[in-house]
Amino acid sequence: MTTVEALDRKLLRDFIRLWPQFLAISLVLAAGVAVLLMSFGMSAALEDTRKTYYERNRFADIFVDARSVPISFVEIIRRIDGIEAVEARVTTFTTLDIPGKIDTTVAYVASLAPAGPVLNRPTLRRGQWPDPQSTGEVVLNAPFAEANDLWPGDRFTATLNGVKRDLTVVGWALSPEFIYTIGPGSLIPDDEDYGIVWMPERALAALLDRTGAFDNLAVKLRPSARPKPIIDMLDQLLEPYGSWGAIGRDEQTSNAFIDAEITQLRALAYILPPVFLGITIFLVNMVIGRIVALERAEIGLLKALGYSDIAILFHYLLLAGLVAVCGVALGYAVGSWLSYGLARLYADFLKFPYLIYTVSWNAYVVSGLLGLFAASAGAARAAWSAARLAPATAMSPTAPPRFRRNWIDVALRRMHVSQPTMMILRSLIRWPVRAAMSVLGLSLAVAILVSSNFFPDSLDLIIDTGFHQSNRQHVVLFFNDTMDESALEDAARLPGVLQVEGQQYLPVILRHEHRQKRAVIEARRPGNDLSRIVSAEGEIVDAPPGGIMLSERLAAQLGLAVGDMVEVEFLGNRKGAYDLPVTRLVTQYFGLGAYMDQETADRLFQQAPQVSVINVTVDPARNAAFQAALKELPRLGGRAMMVENRRGFEETISENILVSTMVYALLGILITVGVAYNGARIQLSERARELASLRILGFTRGEVAYILMGEIMLLALIAQPLGWWIGWAVAKLMTDSFTSDLYAIPMVLKVSTFSSASLIVLGAAMASVLVVRRRLDRIDLVSVMKTRE
Amino acid sequence: MSGQELVFRTDNLTKVYQTGEVKVFALAGVDLELFSGELAVLLGPSGSGKSTLLNILGGLDHATDGRVWFHDLELTDLGDRGLTRFRRDHVGFVFQFYNLVPSLTARENVQLVTDVARDPMTPEEALERVGLSHRLDHFPAQLSGGEQQRVAIARAVAKRPEVLLCDEPTGALDSKTGIQVLEVLKHLNEELGTSTVVITHAAEIRKMAHRVIWFQDGRIANTEINDERLEPAEIDW
Ligand SMILES: Nc1ncnc2c1ncn2[C@@H]1O[C@H](COP(=O)(O)OP(=O)(O)O)[C@@H](O)[C@H]1O
Ligand SMILES: [Mg+2]
């Protein structure tokens, strides 16, 4: 047996003897590695899949909606420098009548070019493409068809240009343009009540009187072209045709949602793994430090036997290396599994036709190296001090820890603290860095729980103000054109209708100084009861007459304050630019709201009162009759069921939240166990003798355990307020960073969020020290006393 | 000096250690009586079972066979809880290694015991009795070995235990310091009437005892009563 082998043997023995401690550390490290792999793996998979999908199906770069633009424009636009391809389509919103389904369904109907689309090409999933010459054959987007059980060969009716048409499903398709399909007035995808219908161009144009014209344009740019000037050019060209303005990919709804998902996944990789790696460093440092302290005499002996400093250094680094290997291996296993599994789930959820999952070796290499680095960084100090130990010093016992009396002792004496409590406090004061690091570690566990748990409460608030308080209507009726107010009376006469209220949506461009922003102004009567403007503070507000009211977010983006003048250019049916004063600001969670008093709008346009949206409440008992009547309404462009929107939102969200809450709870527990268990084990190792001597003096097991457990639990208690604070700060950071054009996440931190985080961490800490307490209970008093300190 | 009242009585006390195939009889049937107020010295070669006996008498260890009584209380019947109670109320220990709590001062180390005892002296009084009034607020690391051992003795006697069990109390000390410690023990035995058992391998120390008990191979080989006792200062070892 060579000497190296002997040292290796000792290494393995140490590792096996201390396995629970090393396991606890490995788990913390594994969590860091797994989260890193997962977030990189998933975001890369989503991005790659989306990229491939976009390329293969030629997803456009610029999108614009207008009304009945002469087809001659296509040629003009195609010649614009920087444009590679153009796809012009006839499009409309419509209501569908699906046999056997009571509720009306909204659909976006888009034409299919006779030779097949050159841009935003749908991928056929089932059945076949419609015959370009056919009049009633359509392809549906697959999730919608599946949700409504509409198979190739099935028939349904659509109201097109005021006339009900019989249509036949011939196929199912997926399109990169509609990965997220969100109906007008909705907030989340709802496959059952909103779908996409593709129809041959000839038939659709004939039905909508659009022969020789188009409504929707998609543009693909040459790789070198910049979108901004082309968007401006398109806006100029199409402005006379009621264009709402051209948008780039960043504003395309479907694409913007996926961007947000990928950003959030990426963010995970930057927030969590550093926490886990940092805690790994601390734990390895603590444990290896203790081992070196215990093995001083052996180290001296080894050196006396002729082992080099380097050999000793590597011996302890290697021990940490074993921990790293275990942690990284475990992290690889869990991370790969999670990464692939979740990417699959995501791809399914997003209805990608396929998943491109290429294993990112980089992520493995980076996370593996980080794991090794964390473990060696943790062991470095102790290993170095072992290597530097002179044999003579090593063989003599360590100097006992030096305690000194200071002002704190005087204070404690005054408070008549019991001696066991004094022992706890002195130990904290004697090793302040270790105590501080433990507190920090435990507080990070609390912070992870607080900052992940605040989300459901925030969503509750969004749902409450966004749905329950603002939108009290059952159904929103959208029309393709504005109508005069007599439409309200027609709606009121529909069966089962209890209340009706009108609103008008006016697409505009707002300009202030050099800034401009596209928005939709809601013109509404003061005192509306169904659709209300509720501020973030819960106040119900109306737009004051004589100007426009803006949401704070929109005002901030335009640099506007109350009293400033803003240039409002109306798009769509109402043309013209006006300078209007900002009369009020309102804080809101959702959207870039802009509001106007209906009478002010009417005076501005010198028109009779108009509506484009009608909010309705319906007697639930007569809902079927109401829905049946709706399907007959000729000009109804869309319809959103508020009641269902609410339910859908809550269901989608709460499922996701349950899973993620559990994952974060697990992460918090891993950290707590890592810190508390190792802390207690080291306490026990350092104090075994002291605690045994107390037992000999007649202290009971419980009294002695108090000293061991008290210190860790005291640290855990101190960690709570710090953890709350860090959690609060992280939550704040997250809400700030998630705030986008679409919404702001309010920070709702309830007492229960803090208390449940604390309960979990204190519970896990308690369980960890109780496991160590069992060792203490079994300690052999006699043999401890026989050995020298 | 030895009174008539029995403090400890053992009957065929046996302790067997099973290490692998080998059985070691640490105690091979010990019958012993210890009296109130007595200062007994246990002598014998290393491994003869002295510590084992002391640990069983003090309620730190269980016998394999035989019985032990403390007055009328049969220790061999007690579980961990009962033995803890017994140690807390009646026994003081002093070991070769002082086993002080390093994070507590001399006074606080004594207070550990006086805080939970039924009729303790004050920590200051206990430390005065061992001659350490001037070291109340020193931590163990700031005291010499002899001083630390005296703190340990103060801690052991502060609760006015009926018995004081000392396992080689001078084993780690030089002879001059050792004598100081023995003086403290003798003094406490006389002042407080604490029955005291002292294990030692320094045979000369037997001369300060009322009674000397010789151990050999887990058995009592011999006992002898000193008609004349020496002062520790007169002992030379
Ligand atoms: N924990 C133990 N396991 C095995 N043998 C032991 C143990 N403790 C003591 N012994 C053995 O019991 C015998 C008596 O030991 P001990 O009472 O310590 O002797 P003394 O104190 O007289 O030197 C010795 O042979 C010793 O080896
Ligand atoms: Mg012994």
Side-chain angles (χ1 to χ4, degrees):
Chain A
M1 186 174 78
T2 73
T3 47
V4 176
E5 276 173 357
L7 210 52
D8 289 346
R9 206 167 287 226
K10 172 180 168 320
L11 189 78
L12 268 176
R13 237 172 247 152
D14 276 345
F15 191 70
I16 291 163
R17 185 168 53 88
L18 296 171
W19 72 266
Q21 279 173 270
F22 288 134
L23 177 68
I25 301 175
S26 298
L27 287 175
V28 172
L29 179 57
V33 171
V35 170
L36 202 92
L37 282 185
M38 185 193 79
S39 56
F40 271 133
M42 277 174 74
S43 56
L46 281 193
E47 218 159 1
D48 292 350
T49 305
R50 179 176 71 165
K51 186 159 171 269
T52 313
Y53 192 16
Y54 281 1
E55 272 168 17
R56 286 191 196 163
N57 295 50
R58 310 233 330 138
F59 185 55
D61 296 308
I62 295 173
F63 308 81
V64 53
D65 279 307
R67 199 86 196 258
S68 253
V69 186
I71 204 82
S72 54
F73 274 85
V74 173
E75 217 28 62
I76 298 171
I77 291 167
R78 204 195 310 277
R79 290 214 201 98
I80 294 176
D81 197 29
I83 290 183
E84 182 191 309
V86 175
E87 177 83 40
R89 289 185 304 194
V90 177
T91 57
T92 188
F93 281 103
T94 185
T95 50
L96 308 182
D97 185 0
I98 297 167
K101 186 176 176 187
I102 292 177
D103 294 347
T104 40
T105 308
V106 181
Y108 180 73
V109 188
S111 63
L112 281 170
V118 290
L119 295 179
N120 300 332
R121 287 179 183 155
T123 296
L124 197 68
R125 301 294 282 169
R126 187 180 287 283
Q128 60 190 59
W129 290 113
D131 177 350
Q133 303 305 318
S134 69
T135 51
E137 291 181 5
V138 295
V139 165
L140 303 180
N141 70 318
F144 169 73
E146 199 175 343
N148 284 290
D149 206 18
L150 285 170
W151 295 78
D154 289 348
R155 307 165 74 85
F156 64 94
T157 346
T159 308
L160 291 167
N161 209 9
V163 183
K164 295 191 108 188
R165 303 284 174 180
D166 275 334
L167 302 174
T168 308
V169 181
V170 295
W172 293 7
L174 288 171
S175 162
E177 195 182 356
F178 304 109
I179 296 172
Y180 256 99
T181 49
I182 297 182
S186 293
L187 289 162
I188 51 145
D190 176 0
D191 288 333
E192 203 171 321
D193 288 332
Y194 178 69
I196 312 296
V197 175
W198 285 279
M199 201 172 168
E201 186 180 284
R202 224 176 73 105
L204 188 60
L207 289 174
L208 297 177
D209 294 330
R210 293 284 201 287
T211 312
F214 66 89
D215 304 307
N216 170 280
L217 198 73
V219 171
K220 182 128 197 82
L221 300 179
R222 292 187 192 288
S224 57
R226 290 193 311 116
K228 181 76 179 80
I230 293 177
I231 285 177
D232 289 344
M233 230 179 289
L234 289 174
D235 282 350
Q236 244 177 6
L237 273 171
L238 299 178
E239 202 244 45
Y241 299 94
S243 157
W244 283 35
I247 53 172
R249 279 187 179 182
D250 55 333
E251 282 184 78
Q252 203 261 348
T253 317
S254 170
N255 185 61
F257 266 94
I258 296 170
D259 269 343
E261 296 279 353
I262 292 174
T263 312
Q264 287 183 22
L265 283 174
R266 279 270 148 85
L268 261 190
Y270 294 107
I271 298 174
L272 282 179
V275 170
F276 287 97
L277 293 174
I279 289 174
T280 304
I281 294 179
F282 162 60
L283 293 179
V284 171
N285 177 33
M286 189 163 76
V287 172
I288 304 278
R290 179 61 193 160
I291 293 175
V292 168
L294 282 177
E295 292 181 349
R296 269 173 71 92
E298 289 172 59
I299 295 167
L301 190 74
L302 288 172
K303 290 199 159 182
L305 287 176
Y307 280 88
S308 68
D309 291 1
I310 297 287
I312 302 286
L313 181 77
F314 271 100
H315 175 69
Y316 289 104
L317 283 182
L318 221 60
L319 195 55
L322 275 181
V323 178
V325 167
C326 289
V328 169
L330 199 61
Y332 278 177
V334 175
S336 310
W337 176 69
L338 274 181
S339 175
Y340 184 74
L342 289 180
R344 263 251 77 86
L345 272 181
Y346 250 70
D348 277 357
F349 170 69
L350 293 175
K351 309 285 169 5
F352 282 127
Y354 39 77
L355 173 68
I356 310 271
Y357 185 87
T358 40
V359 177
S360 151
W361 296 113
N362 278 347
Y364 284 87
V365 171
V366 167
S367 58
L369 285 178
L370 282 174
L372 271 179
F373 163 78
S376 358
R381 218 178 58 119
W384 183 244
S385 75
R388 294 286 306 273
L389 214 55
T393 355
M395 302 243 248
S396 64
T398 34
R402 298 197 72 81
F403 291 91
R404 294 207 175 280
R405 286 169 59 80
N406 53 29
W407 60 272
I408 301 173
D409 292 284
V410 179
L412 293 175
R413 260 196 101 68
R414 292 256 166 75
M415 284 156 47
H416 292 282
V417 177
S418 77
Q419 304 316 308
T421 304
M422 192 69 108
M423 289 168 71
I424 292 175
L425 297 175
R426 288 249 169 80
S427 155
L428 293 185
I429 297 165
R430 180 63 188 76
W431 287 278
V433 176
R434 183 165 84 188
M437 295 305 289
S438 302
V439 166
L440 184 63
L442 292 169
S443 63
L444 287 173
V446 176
I448 283 180
L449 293 171
V450 168
S451 57
S452 61
N453 266 352
F454 89 98
F455 212 65
D457 293 332
S458 301
L459 286 169
D460 265 357
L461 181 69
I462 292 185
I463 290 170
D464 191 53
T465 47
F467 289 112
H468 302 168
Q469 293 192 44
S470 304
N471 298 303
R472 308 201 296 178
Q473 71 277 47
H474 297 149
V475 177
V476 184
L477 307 176
F478 289 89
F479 296 94
N480 276 330
D481 303 298
T482 51
M483 303 192 287
D484 62 60
E485 261 191 341
S486 63
L488 283 177
E489 288 156 35
D490 293 344
R493 275 197 294 273
L494 290 171
V497 168
L498 301 174
Q499 260 177 300
V500 292
E501 271 175 18
Q503 252 172 282
Q504 196 180 357
Y505 282 162
L506 302 162
V508 294
I509 295 176
L510 301 174
R511 293 196 179 89
H512 178 238
E513 290 163 358
H514 61 283
R515 290 176 258 214
Q516 65 168 36
K517 195 84 197 169
R518 210 180 299 279
V520 175
I521 294 182
E522 265 183 56
R524 44 200 298 146
R525 304 207 170 280
N528 264 8
D529 187 45
L530 297 183
S531 164
R532 308 188 297 183
I533 308 169
V534 181
S535 74
E537 294 83 33
E539 195 194 347
I540 294 156
V541 292
D542 280 315
I548 70 171
M549 175 169 83
L550 299 177
S551 68
E552 267 185 358
R553 198 174 308 114
L554 182 54
Q557 287 176 14
L558 288 164
L560 285 165
V562 172
D564 290 347
M565 295 301 281
V566 55
E567 187 197 321
V568 184
E569 185 191 341
F570 288 89
L571 309 166
N573 297 335
R574 298 286 153 206
K575 295 285 178 309
Y578 304 84
D579 282 330
L580 294 173
V582 176
T583 48
R584 184 169 182 172
L585 298 184
V586 56
T587 321
Q588 286 182 309
Y589 298 130
F590 275 132
L592 297 167
Y595 306 91
M596 218 169 152
D597 178 56
Q598 179 72 51
E599 274 180 34
T600 308
D602 292 341
R603 234 177 299 126
L604 204 63
F605 302 135
Q606 300 172 331
Q607 66 175 12
Q610 299 276 308
V611 294
S612 59
V613 164
I614 299 179
N615 298 303
V616 180
T617 50
V618 183
D619 176 0
R622 300 185 62 195
N623 188 42
F626 169 76
Q627 296 285 351
L630 267 194
K631 292 171 189 171
E632 309 297 332
L633 269 189
R635 289 206 291 171
L636 193 57
R639 176 229 50 135
M641 290 285 288
M642 275 303 162
V643 182
E644 272 160 34
N645 226 323
R646 240 172 265 173
R647 201 174 354 98
F649 195 55
E650 283 167 15
E651 274 171 13
T652 318
I653 298 285
S654 66
E655 271 171 38
N656 293 346
I657 279 171
L658 184 70
V659 174
S660 68
T661 303
M662 275 165 42
V663 170
Y664 283 111
L666 182 69
L667 294 179
I669 289 172
L670 283 184
I671 292 182
T672 309
V673 170
V675 173
Y677 179 75
N678 278 301
R681 278 297 297 270
I682 282 170
Q683 283 289 320
L684 179 61
S685 154
E686 287 174 351
R687 297 189 134 172
R689 188 181 187 84
E690 203 173 304
L691 298 177
S693 75
L694 292 189
R695 293 273 290 126
I696 289 170
L697 290 178
F699 279 68
T700 62
R701 285 180 175 167
E703 285 164 336
V704 171
Y706 163 77
I707 298 168
L708 178 80
M709 298 165 59
E711 179 165 344
I712 304 286
M713 293 313 287
L714 179 63
L715 293 177
L717 278 178
I718 296 171
Q720 300 307 314
L722 183 62
W724 297 336
W725 182 80
I726 299 175
W728 173 87
V730 171
K732 178 101 185 64
L733 213 75
M734 278 164 58
T735 51
D736 288 353
S737 72
F738 287 170
T739 297
S740 66
D741 260 19
L742 286 172
Y743 53 83
I745 295 185
M747 196 161 85
V748 183
L749 286 167
K750 291 190 183 163
V751 174
S752 65
T753 304
F754 292 111
S755 58
S756 66
S758 292
L759 274 181
I760 291 177
V761 168
L762 290 174
M766 191 60 153
S768 312
V769 293
L770 278 175
V771 171
V772 179
R773 190 205 147 144
R774 291 198 4 203
R775 284 176 176 267
L776 175 64
D777 286 347
R778 288 195 303 247
I779 207 164
D780 179 357
L781 300 183
V782 176
S783 64
V784 170
M785 297 334 284
K786 273 185 186 158
T787 54
R788 228 202 127 82
E789 278 156 80
Chain B
M1 251 295 299
S2 51
Q4 286 309 299
E5 203 193 335
L6 264 179
V7 179
F8 279 116
R9 185 161 69 83
T10 74
D11 174 18
N12 192 33
L13 197 62
T14 308
K15 177 81 182 181
V16 184
Y17 286 109
Q18 181 92 42
T19 32
E21 296 290 289
V22 198
K23 269 188 179 174
V24 176
F25 279 81
L27 294 179
V30 173
D31 300 298
L32 176 71
E33 291 179 330
L34 285 168
F35 298 95
S36 136
E38 185 177 34
L39 194 158
V41 164
L42 253 59
L43 282 174
S46 182
S48 57
K50 308 181 293 292
S51 297
T52 307
L53 174 68
L54 204 73
N55 290 337
I56 294 175
L57 291 182
L60 286 179
D61 206 350
H62 295 274
T64 315
D65 204 2
R67 304 165 81 182
V68 188
W69 289 267
F70 172 75
H71 296 292
D72 294 331
L73 180 70
E74 185 171 351
L75 298 184
T76 27
D77 275 350
L78 297 179
D80 180 76
R81 204 176 274 270
L83 287 178
T84 302
R85 183 91 240 161
F86 163 68
R87 292 199 299 271
R88 183 179 202 133
D89 292 342
H90 303 292
V91 192
F93 280 102
V94 177
F95 293 95
Q96 177 180 0
F97 309 113
Y98 332 113
N99 296 319
L100 297 178
V101 175
S103 61
L104 297 179
T105 60
R107 189 208 315 254
E108 289 163 347
N109 262 286
V110 178
Q111 242 176 312
L112 264 176
V113 171
T114 58
D115 280 355
V116 296
R118 282 190 296 200
D119 173 32
M121 46 184 101
T122 63
E124 291 77 10
E125 186 193 337
L127 285 163
E128 214 221 290
R129 284 178 185 277
V130 298
L132 284 177
S133 292
H134 57 300
R135 291 280 195 255
L136 293 181
D137 291 327
H138 286 59
F139 286 96
Q142 298 165 316
L143 298 171
S144 74
E147 285 174 328
Q148 288 188 55
Q149 189 62 297
R150 284 188 283 160
V151 175
I153 295 172
R155 189 174 70 173
V157 299
K159 64 182 169 196
R160 305 180 200 278
E162 259 182 85
V163 290
L164 184 60
L165 306 177
C166 312
D167 194 342
E168 310 212 19
T170 59
L173 303 173
D174 61 74
S175 66
K176 190 165 152 274
T177 328
I179 287 166
Q180 285 174 7
V181 166
L182 293 176
E183 273 172 344
V184 168
L185 289 177
K186 176 158 187 285
H187 175 72
L188 289 168
N189 171 254
E190 282 159 8
E191 295 259 299
L192 303 172
T194 314
S195 314
T196 306
V197 181
V198 179
I199 293 180
T200 179
H201 56 259
E204 291 301 307
I205 292 178
R206 72 180 190 278
K207 291 175 184 159
M208 67 178 276
H210 294 120
R211 193 149 61 113
V212 185
I213 300 160
W214 300 83
F215 255 73
Q216 183 80 48
D217 298 331
R219 275 178 244 270
I220 296 176
N222 188 15
T223 55
E224 111 192 5
I225 292 173
N226 284 332
D227 298 327
E228 237 175 89
R229 297 168 62 204
L230 293 183
E231 283 300 315
E234 300 168 291
I235 297 172
D236 175 33
W237 88 91

